[in-house]
């Protein structure tokens, strides 16, 4: 997959969640990560539908379900039918909310169906 956006400089990035916010603190406490990781993951998690929509455009009927993992190494895991090759790549957000941040995406051709409605999110 090919994407046009350049990764952001994290040293000067203006996150939508303040490092000292209660949301960041709660995430950090719950997932036992540091505050910068919590701040990053909250942002990419909230923006993950942008990445998912790009993936779905390419997978068509081979998509079965997805989830966004939390914790130290957040990523978007997309489950597909067996006709799609397993792969991993980094998605660089284009829309303003998370522009330039990177969300790792893993394509897993295991046919796993989610128990939640994939159009609602995860």
């Amino acid at each position: 997959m090919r994407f046009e956006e350049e990764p952001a400089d994290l040293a000067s990035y203006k996150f939508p969640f303040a490092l000292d916010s209660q949301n960041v603190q709660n995430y950090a406490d719950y997932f036992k990560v540091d505050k910068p990781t919590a701040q990053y993951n909250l942002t990419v998690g909230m923006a993950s539908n942008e990445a998912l929509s790009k993936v779905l455009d390419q997978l068509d009927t081979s998509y079965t379900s997805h989830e966004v993992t939390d914790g130290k190494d957040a990523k978007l895991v997309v489950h597909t039918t067996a006709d799609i090759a397993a792969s991993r790549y980094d998605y660089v957000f284009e829309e303003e909310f998370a522009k330039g941040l990177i969300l790792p995406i893993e394509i897993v051709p295991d046919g796993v169906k989610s128990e939640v409605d994939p159009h609602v999110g995860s």
Side-chain angles (χ1 to χ4, degrees):
M1 294 185 165
R2 181 178 146 91
F3 304 109
E4 302 299 322
E5 192 64 42
E6 291 295 318
D9 175 10
L10 294 181
S12 61
Y13 195 84
K14 303 292 186 218
F15 285 91
F17 299 98
L19 195 59
D20 62 352
S21 71
Q22 191 62 52
N23 290 337
V24 169
Q25 184 63 55
N26 290 345
Y27 187 103
D29 291 345
Y30 188 82
F31 291 106
K32 299 183 181 4
V33 296
D34 60 27
K35 285 184 176 183
T37 299
Q39 183 184 45
Y40 191 97
N41 289 355
L42 276 170
T43 305
V44 298
M46 294 285 292
S48 64
N49 280 344
E50 174 188 329
L52 179 62
S53 69
K54 302 278 175 120
V55 172
L56 292 178
D57 285 348
Q58 295 181 37
L59 292 176
D60 195 30
T61 60
S62 296
Y63 167 84
T64 56
S65 68
H66 73 279
E67 71 248 19
V68 177
T69 65
D70 291 298
K72 184 177 180 207
D73 299 311
K75 64 184 170 184
L76 172 63
V77 179
V78 179
H79 301 276
T80 68
T81 55
D83 59 315
I84 301 296
S87 61
R88 295 173 191 230
Y89 56 92
D90 291 335
Y91 178 78
V92 181
F93 288 96
E94 298 172 352
E95 294 178 10
E96 201 55 42
F97 184 80
K99 188 176 183 116
L101 297 182
I102 298 170
L103 177 63
I105 298 175
E106 183 176 351
I107 305 297
V108 182
D110 60 5
V112 170
K113 292 262 187 197
S114 172
E115 292 187 21
V116 296
D117 182 346
H119 298 99
V120 174
S122 54

